[in-house]
Amino acid sequence: MNSFVYPGVAQGFRPISEQGTHQFQFVPYGTTERGTILEYLPCTQECWLLVFAGLHGEEAEGTMILSRTLRLLRHQPEHTAVILCANPEGMALGTRGNRNGVDLNRNFPASNWKSAPVECRIILEAPRVTRLSPGKTAGSEAETQCLMNLIEKLNPREILSLHAPLGFVDCPQPTPLTQNLSAALGLPWVQSPGYETPGSFGSWCEDRHLPCVTLEFPRESAETLAIRYVTPLASLLFE
Ligand SMILES: [Zn+2]
């Protein structure tokens, strides 16, 4: 294993000895109801792309991959802003929803938001019987409101949302980023996930005519995903 070279090394990225920590300054974009700081990495110039992970607290692989991709970079991104974890309390609790038990990806005030309980699967093979709340009202959660406010402020041209473990690139109308991600990561493009997603972040974006790509990492270990994807993601998202 001594000859193994981690992707990114010797390709103009940061020395691997420095990749253990972040070098860029994250700044708050709000707080949760109980005061946990929500933070993001601003870009240095006009924002073209916002990438975020961890809206579902059970999908830690997205946060880890995005973090490692960011740690490869020598310079702060010029046109890409990053949120490593949009649901930090859910992530800390290891739950899909936030601390209030709300599936944040069903809490956005899209025209299709529904007050009915969200029925999700505890694992892929399970039936959709695990219930979460879509929130008391559309947009009820602080994490949802803060993310919407940040998007209002940054006014990105496109958004990339990281999820797992379905293994596809989802975008109703494929953008160049959709096609590039699909080709570089070897994941199929789909027009929809194949089930209804009322109040999802993607639905909210669609209402606003804001292109939103959902990248669903496949069902692999976080380390396998990192080996496979950090280099192409660094090239696609930050250059
Ligand atoms: Zn998800």
Side-chain angles (χ1 to χ4, degrees):
M1 288 300 283
N2 284 344
S3 61
F4 181 79
V5 178
Y6 183 70
V9 175
Q11 292 182 34
F13 294 123
R14 280 172 96 198
I16 200 164
S17 58
E18 296 173 19
Q19 288 179 20
T21 56
H22 284 285
Q23 61 172 331
F24 309 127
Q25 200 64 45
F26 289 80
V27 299
Y29 67 92
T31 60
T32 66
E33 197 178 299
R34 72 183 335 234
T36 299
I37 292 172
L38 301 163
E39 56 181 5
Y40 81 111
L41 179 69
C43 39
T44 57
Q45 295 182 35
E46 186 190 351
C47 183
W48 295 347
L49 178 68
L50 170 66
V51 187
F52 73 91
L55 191 61
H56 284 143
E58 286 185 331
E59 297 166 8
E61 59 268 60
T63 294
M64 189 272 232
I65 305 303
L66 189 54
S67 168
R68 286 205 181 190
T69 304
L70 207 49
R71 284 183 271 141
L72 293 179
L73 308 181
R74 287 187 183 274
H75 305 288
Q76 186 161 347
E78 291 183 353
H79 300 290
T80 304
V82 176
I83 300 172
L84 290 176
C85 186
N87 176 13
E89 291 177 358
M91 187 81 70
L93 291 168
T95 57
R96 182 176 179 85
N98 70 354
R99 179 169 283 273
N100 295 334
V102 174
D103 184 339
L104 297 174
N105 205 29
R106 299 291 181 274
N107 184 238
F108 283 82
S111 54
N112 64 1
W113 182 83
K114 284 183 184 163
S115 60
V118 183
E119 295 182 331
C120 52
R121 300 177 287 210
I122 200 85
I123 59 166
L124 271 181
E125 291 79 4
R128 288 185 185 279
V129 294
T130 304
R131 289 184 157 203
L132 287 177
S133 165
K136 287 192 289 283
T137 56
S140 60
E141 303 307 292
E143 294 90 337
T144 307
Q145 293 160 16
C146 294
L147 185 53
M148 292 191 297
N149 290 342
L150 181 66
I151 290 165
E152 203 72 55
K153 176 178 138 180
L154 297 178
N155 194 24
R157 300 176 184 177
E158 187 165 14
I159 299 188
L160 174 64
S161 168
L162 304 184
H163 287 261
L166 301 176
F168 54 60
V169 183
D170 172 12
C171 189
Q173 279 141 4
T175 61
L177 177 64
T178 309
Q179 291 159 336
N180 292 337
L181 282 169
S182 174
L185 308 186
L187 297 172
W189 163 68
V190 299
Q191 202 160 17
S192 101
Y195 51 88
E196 285 198 355
T197 57
S200 68
F201 177 77
S203 301
W204 180 75
C205 288
E206 217 175 337
D207 286 357
R208 300 168 65 92
H209 306 292
L210 174 58
C212 170
V213 184
T214 302
L215 168 56
E216 283 270 355
F217 287 114
R219 195 186 206 180
E220 300 277 1
S221 76
E223 189 158 76
T224 300
L225 295 172
I227 290 168
R228 208 183 282 169
Y229 295 139
V230 291
T231 305
L233 285 175
S235 306
L236 278 175
L237 306 183
F238 299 111
E239 283 183 355

